[in-house]
């Protein structure tokens, strides 16, 4: 019982961490895009580009979009996620075979 509770706590913790990353990403998205665009602009002087690169490096790392990971909302599994349902293929298959997903049924060959 204790092991099940600890696994559930860890999965909830992962989902909370992922949610915080998503919030940071949306908060700093515009600023990050502007800094990147100005850094790539060759018309600006090099010292100005260096200052902008420095500002870009000072933004929080978790505000970068590649650090956001799609996770299953029930198991926090990071791979093979159906984005529309936000659940993993394993959970999806179980729910589809039991019938709670409306309009989804197992195909037979």
């Amino acid at each position: 019982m204790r092991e099940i509770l600890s696994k559930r706590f860890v999965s909830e913790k992962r989902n909370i961490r992922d949610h915080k990353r998503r919030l940071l990403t949306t908060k700093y998205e515009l600023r990050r895009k502007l800094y990147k665009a100005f850094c790539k602009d060759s018309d600006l002087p090099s010292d100005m580009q260096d200052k902008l690169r420095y500002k870009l490096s000072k933004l929080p790392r978790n505000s970068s979009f590649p650090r956001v990971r799609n996770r299953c909302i029930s198991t926090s599994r990071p791979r093979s996620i159906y984005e529309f349902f936000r659940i993993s293929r394993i959970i999806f298959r179980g729910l589809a075979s039991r019938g709670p997903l409306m309009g989804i049924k197992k195909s037979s060959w």
Side-chain angles (χ1 to χ4, degrees), residues 67-106:
R67 292 180 74 105
V68 174
R69 187 75 194 235
N70 288 333
R71 291 190 174 270
C72 175
I73 56 174
S74 61
T75 61
S76 73
R77 180 181 162 85
R79 297 180 187 222
S80 67
I81 303 299
Y82 290 112
E83 284 188 43
F84 185 76
F85 298 104
R86 291 193 62 197
I87 55 177
S88 68
R89 62 178 174 82
I90 299 165
I91 301 296
F92 180 82
R93 186 173 183 214
L95 290 174
S97 66
R98 278 185 256 131
L101 293 175
M102 300 299 288
I104 307 292
K105 63 180 180 180
K106 184 178 175 184

Side-chain angles (χ1 to χ4, degrees), residues 20-63:
K20 285 181 181 178
R21 282 186 182 148
R22 287 178 192 275
L23 292 176
L24 272 175
T25 302
T26 56
K27 181 179 179 182
Y28 289 101
E29 180 180 16
L30 182 63
R31 204 176 306 180
R32 185 174 286 277
K33 283 184 179 179
L34 284 173
Y35 288 159
K36 281 188 175 184
F38 285 136
C39 286
K40 290 180 183 178
D41 189 10
S42 59
D43 295 338
L44 290 176
S46 62
D47 61 333
M48 179 74 108
Q49 287 179 343
D50 291 339
K51 285 180 184 177
L52 291 168
R53 267 192 216 99
Y54 179 76
K55 285 185 177 182
L56 181 65
S57 71
K58 289 300 171 187
L59 290 178
R61 284 189 179 179
N62 283 338
S63 69

